[in-house]
C-alpha cells in the first residue's frame, strides 16, 4: 500500500457525568467488584441517563466542540463529517448529518460508519483515504456510542462491560510523511451469530413480541467473542508491525480497543510491548464501542510527541477487526 499523507491534527472528547460503578452493579445483578475487575479491568463507566432525552449525537457534538475549541478554526472549513457509531440517534436519518449542522460544518457532507467496535478504526481508513484523494482537506471523524440504550441491565454478562462516550479526531493532509502509514483491516460475517441485537432491523422489525422477548438489547456469547478477539486483534497488530518492519522498540504506543483488559494484555504481549506503552482507560470508561480509540487519544494527547509510531488495534461485532499504523503529527 502506498504512503497516505493524512495526519490527525486535533482531538476532542466527551463523557457523560453519571458514573456507574461496580458497586452499583452489585445492586442490580448478581456480580461483584472483584469478578468484574479481574475478568475485565473495568471499575466504572459513564452513562448518558435516558431521562436527558438525548442520544449519541449529543455526545458527538460535545466531543466535536471540544476539538473545535482546542484547535480554533472555522467549522465551515470542514469537508466531511463521519460519525462512527453502533447506536445512531435513529435509524434511517444519518446522525452525522445532524451533528455536522449543529457544529456549523455547513459545507460538509456527512455519513455514519457502522462496524461495531471497529467503526472508528474503519473510519480512520476512510478519513485518510478521502484526504489522500486530494479532494478534501479537513475530515472530522467522531466515534460516539450510547451503549446504555441497548444494554440489558438484567444481563450480567453484558451490562458490566459497556459504557457511553464520544471522541473526535481531525484529519488533514501532511507533507512531512506523518499520519496514517499502513492498515490491515478484515471482517468475517460469522460474527453476527455471537454478538448482535436481534430486533429492530429489517430481519426482525419491532413488534410487541420482540419487545416482550427482550430482543432490542445487545446479546453476546462472551466466551466465543473473547476467543476471536484475542486471536484476531493480536494477529492484526503483529501483522502491521511485520508489514512495516517495526520492532517493539520502534512502537511508541499501542492504542487498543477497550473491551477487556485481558484482550489488551494479550495484544501487547504478542507485540512484545512494554505495558507502559499501552494506552488504557478501560478502568474508567468500560467499553464505549466506537469511542474507545479517540477517548484514548484525548486522554494521552499531552504525552504524545511528533513522529511517535502509534499502532491502533480493534475487534468488534460483525466480526470486524484490524490494525492501523500512524505517525503522530504534533507535540
Ligand atoms: O468490544 C466488542 C467485543 N466484545 C468483547 O471483546 C468482549 C469479549 N468477552 C469478554 O470480555 C468476556 O467473555 C466477558 C467479560 C464477557 C466474560 O468473561 P469470561 O471470563 O469469558 O466469563 P465466562 O462467560 O466464561 O463466565 C465465567 C463464569 C461463569 O460461571 P460458571 O459457569 O463458571 O459457574 C459465568 O456465569 O463467570 C460467570 N459470570 C459472572 N460472574 C459474576 C459471567 N458474568 C458474570 C458477572 N459476575 N458479571
Amino acid at each position: 500500500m502506498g504512503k497516505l499523507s493524512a495526519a490527525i491534527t486535533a482531538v476532542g472528547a466527551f463523557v457523560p457525568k453519571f458514573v456507574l460503578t461496580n458497586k452499583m452493579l452489585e445492586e442490580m445483578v448478581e456480580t461483584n467488584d472483584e469478578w468484574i475487575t479481574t475478568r475485565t479491568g473495568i471499575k466504572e463507566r459513564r452513562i448518558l441517563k435516558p431521562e436527558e432525552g438525548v442520544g449519541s449525537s449529543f455526545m458527538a457534538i460535545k466531543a466535536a466542540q471540544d476539538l473545535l475549541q482546542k484547535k480554533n478554526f472555522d467549522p465551515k472549513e470542514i469537508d466531511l463529517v463521519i460519525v462512527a457509531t453502533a447506536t445512531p440517534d435513529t435509524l434511517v436519518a444519518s446522525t452525522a448529518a445532524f451533528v455536522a449542522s449543529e457544529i456549523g460544518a455547513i459545507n460538509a457532507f456527512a455519513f455514519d460508519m457502522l462496524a461495531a467496535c471497529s467503526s472508528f478504526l474503519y473510519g480512520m481508513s476512510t478519513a485518510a483515504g478521502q484526504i489522500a484523494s486530494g479532494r478534501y482537506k479537513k475530515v472530522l471523524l467522531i466515534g460516539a456510542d450510547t451503549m446504555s440504550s441497548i444494554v440489558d441491565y438484567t444481563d450480567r454478562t453484558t451490562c458490566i462491560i459497556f459504557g457511553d462516550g464520544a471522541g473526535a479526531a481531525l484529519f488533514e493532509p501532511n507533507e512531512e510523511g506523518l499520519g496514517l502509514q499502513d492498515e490491515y483491516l478484515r471482517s468475517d460475517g460469522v460474527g453476527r451469530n455471537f454478538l448482535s441485537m436481534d430486533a429492530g432491523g429489517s430481519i426482525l422489525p419491532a413488534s410487541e413480541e420482540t419487545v416482550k422477548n427482550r430482543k432490542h438489547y445487545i446479546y453476546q456469547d462472551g466466551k466465543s467473542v473473547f476467543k476471536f478477539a484475542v486471536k484476531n486483534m493480536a494477529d492484526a497488530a503483529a501483522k502491521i508491525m511485520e508489514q512495516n518492519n517495526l520492532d517493539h522498540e520502534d512502537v511508541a504506543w499501542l492504542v487498543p480497543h477497550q473491551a477487556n483488559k485481558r484482550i489488551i494484555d494479550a495484544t501487547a504481549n504478542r507485540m512484545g510491548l512494554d505495558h507502559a506503552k499501552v494506552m488504557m482507560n478501560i478502568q474508567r470508561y468500560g467499553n464505549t464501542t466506537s469511542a474507545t480509540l479517540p477517548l484514548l487519544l484525548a486522554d494521552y494527547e499531552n504525552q504524545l510527541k511528533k513522529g511517535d509510531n502509534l499502532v491502533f488495534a480493534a475487534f468488534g461485532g460483525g466480526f470486524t477487526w484490524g490494525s492501523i499504523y500512524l505517525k503522530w503529527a504534533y507535540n
Side-chain angles (χ1 to χ4, degrees):
M1 191 173 125
K3 185 164 267 189
L4 300 176
S5 52
I8 292 178
T9 58
V11 294
F14 174 80
V15 289
K17 279 199 189 73
F18 184 80
V19 179
L20 178 63
T21 63
N22 289 351
K23 272 267 163 286
M24 289 160 141
L25 284 167
E26 285 180 10
E27 308 290 315
M28 296 158 69
V29 289
E30 204 185 323
T31 190
N32 58 77
D33 176 46
E34 206 254 327
W35 192 95
I36 302 173
T37 307
T38 53
R39 303 309 288 166
T40 70
I42 302 166
K43 283 296 207 185
E44 58 188 43
R45 56 298 282 144
R46 301 300 182 99
I47 303 294
L48 189 68
K49 298 192 86 176
E51 52 264 41
E52 284 167 22
V54 290
S56 296
S57 69
F58 175 83
M59 296 189 293
I61 291 163
K62 295 272 190 200
Q65 286 169 340
D66 181 44
L67 181 151
L68 284 165
Q69 195 222 331
K70 279 156 72 182
K71 179 83 173 164
N72 194 21
F73 69 99
D74 187 346
K76 292 194 194 77
E77 291 172 23
I78 299 171
D79 301 300
L80 165 61
V81 175
I82 304 171
V83 172
T85 185
T87 51
D89 280 5
T90 58
L91 294 180
V92 183
S94 156
T95 297
F98 180 71
V99 171
S101 297
E102 289 294 302
I103 63 170
I106 56 169
N107 295 315
F109 71 113
F111 60 85
D112 295 351
M113 166 79 63
L114 197 162
C117 294
S118 304
S119 301
F120 195 85
L121 195 78
Y122 283 18
M124 288 175 69
S125 166
T126 307
Q130 296 286 13
I131 295 286
S133 75
R135 291 198 299 276
Y136 308 110
K137 298 265 181 287
K138 280 187 169 55
V139 177
L140 182 63
L141 172 64
I142 307 168
D145 265 306
T146 314
M147 295 309 290
S148 62
S149 66
I150 56 168
V151 161
D152 181 351
Y153 286 96
T154 65
D155 173 7
R156 69 176 182 170
T157 65
T158 52
C159 74
I160 54 139
I161 301 172
F162 294 104
D164 303 336
L170 182 70
F171 286 77
E172 293 184 273
N174 183 282
E175 282 162 14
E176 299 172 81
L178 302 170
L180 201 147
Q181 306 292 307
D182 196 10
E183 62 186 37
Y184 173 83
L185 304 174
R186 290 291 183 273
S187 64
D188 182 351
V190 72
R192 76 178 191 176
N193 301 317
F194 302 105
L195 177 50
S196 63
M197 190 175 89
D198 291 340
S202 53
I203 289 182
L204 192 59
S207 67
E208 273 184 42
E209 200 66 12
T210 59
V211 172
K212 202 174 80 200
N213 293 326
R214 309 180 80 79
K215 296 280 185 196
H216 294 270
Y217 291 120
I218 191 171
Y219 155 83
Q220 81 164 343
D221 170 354
K223 229 189 209 11
S224 302
V225 177
F226 185 88
K227 279 186 201 150
F228 277 100
V230 164
K231 179 174 186 328
N232 288 309
M233 207 163 117
D235 280 357
K239 184 89 181 161
I240 207 85
M241 285 174 75
E242 188 190 310
Q243 274 177 195
N244 293 279
N245 295 318
L246 291 173
D247 191 55
H248 63 93
E249 283 176 4
D250 303 320
V251 177
W253 294 99
L254 168 64
V255 192
H257 172 53
Q258 309 280 296
N260 188 316
K261 184 173 182 294
R262 288 183 291 142
I263 299 172
I264 298 168
D265 289 346
T267 304
N269 291 342
R270 179 74 182 279
M271 295 167 74
L273 215 60
D274 187 311
H275 284 240
K277 291 178 167 185
V278 181
M279 291 191 189
M280 188 109 68
N281 57 17
I282 191 171
Q283 64 282 7
R284 286 185 288 136
Y285 303 141
N287 181 353
T288 54
T289 302
S290 310
T292 60
L293 301 182
L295 281 176
L296 286 171
L297 293 180
D299 275 359
Y300 284 81
E301 185 183 21
N302 57 18
Q303 294 182 57
L304 295 173
K305 291 187 212 64
K306 188 172 173 179
D308 274 356
N309 289 324
L310 272 54
V311 171
F312 293 74
F315 182 89
F319 292 128
T320 55
W321 73 93
S323 185
I324 282 180
Y325 165 32
L326 176 138
K327 276 187 182 290
W328 194 249
Y330 62 94
N331 288 313

